[in-house]
């Protein structure tokens, strides 16, 4: 299906899958190469994402890696102020998403700093979900809805219920994320990937975030730094199964994967 996102009045087409590049304004995200804490590092990373063909810059300021302790809300806001101000100044036309589970951080990012999309992985204790729903409905920006459910059935049930909650609040632009690496064993991640096309029944754009995650490097007995090849293999599978957005560390390689997969389609727009 062809989808579009309303980005503050301009439409972002997803008729061809796009790449979301990760910019972590954190000192502790699991993949060190994605970290950018100083203004110079943030500027360089944002420029790299754009130069390599990324359609969206995804800025995070609070690590959600397994075992991490989230920073407090004030610290997350301060990190985002530096990162988003820098990105907006140097890449004014870029589509920018903010990776946060906190409603007040989402409000600040959109209203004060011009973020275009809220990418919500959910709070560690699950207490802020409904408040986030109300906030994004009020803000009216596209929203990435992630679930940490371990099986396809539970994923479908939870996403369908939460999508309906959002629609009842008047929210329209919803992107679904099955949450690879969250609340799942390595085996459950692969079971979900094998059936990923079944999420298309929800008739919503699908975001897949598997980049360098433990489901790859644990399976191959390697490190995150060695997991690019496995990541690209799973990106190809996700695209075949209907992914609209790939959230990645390695933008150039993901963009090339999208182009190769598009060439397999008789309706390719390359």
């Amino acid at each position: 299906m062809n989808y579009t996102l309303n980005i503050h009045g301009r439409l972002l087409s997803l008729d061809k899958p796009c790449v979301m590049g990760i910019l972590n304004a954190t000192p502790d995200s699991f993949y060190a190469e994605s970290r950018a804490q100083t203004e110079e590092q943030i500027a360089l990373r944002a420029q790299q994402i754009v130069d390599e063909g990324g359609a969206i810059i995804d800025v995070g300021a609070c690590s959600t890696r397994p075992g991490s302790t989230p920073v407090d809300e004030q610290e997350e806001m301060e990190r985002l102020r530096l990162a988003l101000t820098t990105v907006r100044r140097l890449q004014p036309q870029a589509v920018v998403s903010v990776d946060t589970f906190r409603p007040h951080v989402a409000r600040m990012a959109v209203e004060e700093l011009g973020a275009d999309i809220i990418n919500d992985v959910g709070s560690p204790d699950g207490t802020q979900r409904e408040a986030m729903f109300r906030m994004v409905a009020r803000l009216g920006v596209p929203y990435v809805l992630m679930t940490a459910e371990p099986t396809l059935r539970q994923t479908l049930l939870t996403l369908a219920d939460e999508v309906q909650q959002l629609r009842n609040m008047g929210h329209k632009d919803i992107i679904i994320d099955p949450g690879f690496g969250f609340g799942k064993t390595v085996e459950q991640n692969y079971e979900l990937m094998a059936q990923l096309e079944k999420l298309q029944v929800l008739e919503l754009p699908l975001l897949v975030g598997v980049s360098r995650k433990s489901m790859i490097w644990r399976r191959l007995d390697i490190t995150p730094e060695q997991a690019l090849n496995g990541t690209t293999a799973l990106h190809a599978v996700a695209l075949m199964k209907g992914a609209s957005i790939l959230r990645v560390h390695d933008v150039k390689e993901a963009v090339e994967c999208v182009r190769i997969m598009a060439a397999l389609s008789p309706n390719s727009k390359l």
Side-chain angles (χ1 to χ4, degrees):
M1 295 183 67
N2 295 332
Y3 300 107
T4 58
L5 300 177
N6 186 343
I7 306 297
H8 293 301
R10 58 189 173 111
L11 295 181
L12 173 65
S13 173
L14 299 179
D15 64 340
K16 186 167 68 175
C18 73
V19 172
M20 171 188 281
I22 299 168
L23 191 165
N24 284 319
T26 59
D28 55 347
S29 295
F30 80 91
Y31 181 54
E33 293 300 314
S34 71
R35 302 171 194 164
Q37 294 179 264
T38 67
E39 185 174 342
E40 181 181 9
Q41 290 170 340
I42 291 164
L44 288 172
R45 177 58 178 160
Q47 186 67 53
Q48 180 186 29
I49 291 170
V50 171
D51 287 347
E52 293 183 355
I56 304 169
I57 300 173
D58 188 51
V59 182
C62 176
S63 177
T64 53
R65 65 178 173 80
S68 65
T69 300
V71 297
D72 63 32
E73 189 170 286
Q74 188 61 38
E75 176 66 21
E76 184 182 6
M77 286 183 174
E78 289 305 312
R79 292 176 179 178
L80 278 176
R81 284 192 178 97
L82 173 63
L84 292 179
T85 299
T86 302
V87 171
R88 277 293 178 220
R89 185 178 75 253
L90 300 175
Q91 304 292 339
Q93 298 304 311
V95 176
V96 179
S97 64
V98 167
D99 181 350
T100 185
F101 58 84
R102 292 177 169 129
H104 294 301
V105 174
R107 180 194 57 76
M108 180 211 72
V110 173
E111 293 184 346
E112 295 181 26
L113 301 168
D116 300 303
I117 299 169
I118 295 300
N119 179 15
D120 177 17
V121 299
S123 57
D125 58 8
T127 59
Q128 304 199 57
R129 197 64 152 182
E130 187 175 342
M132 181 64 94
F133 288 178
R134 292 194 299 270
M135 181 60 72
V136 293
R138 171 189 153 189
L139 295 169
V141 295
Y143 175 58
V144 180
L145 171 66
M146 195 204 82
T147 177
E149 298 290 0
T151 68
L152 174 68
R153 181 177 183 277
Q154 290 169 293
T155 295
L156 278 168
L157 289 173
T158 297
L159 286 174
D161 177 67
E162 294 187 335
V163 165
Q164 191 58 54
Q165 290 180 50
L166 285 160
R167 287 176 171 160
N168 290 344
M169 295 175 184
H171 199 65
K172 296 178 181 178
D173 273 353
I174 304 166
I175 303 152
I176 56 172
D177 176 356
F180 288 104
F182 290 85
K184 302 168 183 63
T185 64
V186 170
E187 291 74 19
Q188 287 170 333
N189 280 301
Y190 283 98
E191 288 168 4
L192 182 58
M193 180 64 78
Q195 305 175 83
L196 191 66
E197 71 280 1
K198 294 181 180 178
L199 293 182
Q200 293 186 51
V201 70
L202 297 174
E203 297 186 348
L204 291 168
L206 170 64
L207 180 150
V208 170
V210 294
S211 183
R212 296 183 181 269
K213 286 189 174 178
S214 62
M215 65 180 288
I216 299 168
W217 53 264
R218 290 187 189 278
R219 185 79 176 187
L220 300 176
D221 194 25
I222 56 176
T223 67
E225 289 72 24
Q226 299 169 313
L228 176 56
N229 190 49
T231 295
T232 302
L234 287 183
H235 282 164
V237 173
L239 291 167
M240 286 191 293
K241 291 176 175 288
S244 293
I245 302 172
L246 299 178
R247 181 178 181 272
V248 310
H249 299 95
D250 307 281
V251 175
K252 177 178 179 290
E253 290 81 357
V255 168
E256 289 176 350
C257 185
V258 170
R259 292 184 63 190
I260 291 294
M261 297 307 296
L264 299 176
S265 168
N267 298 317
S268 171
K269 297 186 179 182
L270 292 176

